[in-house]
Amino acid sequence: QVQLVESGGGLVQAGGSLRLSCAASGRTFSSYVMGWFRQAPEKEREFVAAIIWSGGSTYYADSVKGRFTISRDNAKNTVFLQMNSLKPEDTAVYHCAAGSRWSGARVTNGYNYWGQGTQVTVSS
């Protein structure tokens, strides 16, 4: 069982930056693929970024490539999402997730555990 708690969301102007954190419980954090997804009102949850167990490989959605960076600290059981050059269309609830298959890293059903989410609002 893994419990995930996100933090770091907030209100920011377009062009600004935020750093999201996701703290995981459990001693097997380093064995999980970690991902970030987001869900805007009345839209489906969409993939944002994922990172493999060692941190050596990452995936990004085209919409955030070059602006967002995912990283992890296995010693601290934490995954991060650095978000730069934020746009109003980035406004959503951001969720972190833990899964066991790198092949499923870009889809919601590739993950077994989810956090409650943190709100990110980007004003124009």
Side-chain angles (χ1 to χ4, degrees), residues 36-57:
W36 285 96
F37 288 74
R38 65 187 182 186
Q39 188 164 18
E42 301 182 357
K43 291 190 176 181
E44 292 189 355
R45 191 168 295 190
E46 65 173 0
F47 169 74
V48 175
I51 188 165
I52 204 169
W53 312 276
S54 64
S57 292

Side-chain angles (χ1 to χ4, degrees), residues 29-96:
F29 175 77
S30 61
S31 67
Y32 286 99
V33 171
M34 298 299 297
W36 285 96
F37 288 74
R38 65 187 182 186
Q39 188 164 18
E42 301 182 357
K43 291 190 176 181
E44 292 189 355
R45 191 168 295 190
E46 65 173 0
F47 169 74
V48 175
I51 188 165
I52 204 169
W53 312 276
S54 64
S57 292
T58 56
Y59 286 136
Y60 293 95
D62 288 343
S63 58
V64 307
K65 204 171 292 184
R67 301 188 297 122
F68 291 10
T69 302
I70 188 171
S71 60
R72 66 191 296 163
D73 185 339
N74 287 340
K76 296 183 178 180
N77 283 12
T78 304
V79 62
F80 305 97
L81 186 68
Q82 178 66 44
M83 305 187 296
N84 299 329
S85 302
L86 283 161
K87 304 175 181 180
E89 51 263 44
D90 294 319
T91 295
V93 176
Y94 283 71
H95 299 268
C96 71

Side-chain angles (χ1 to χ4, degrees), residues 8 11-20 67 82-86:
L11 173 64
V12 64
Q13 289 188 331
S17 298
L18 283 174
R19 190 191 195 205
L20 305 184
R67 301 188 297 122
Q82 178 66 44
M83 305 187 296
N84 299 329
S85 302
L86 283 161

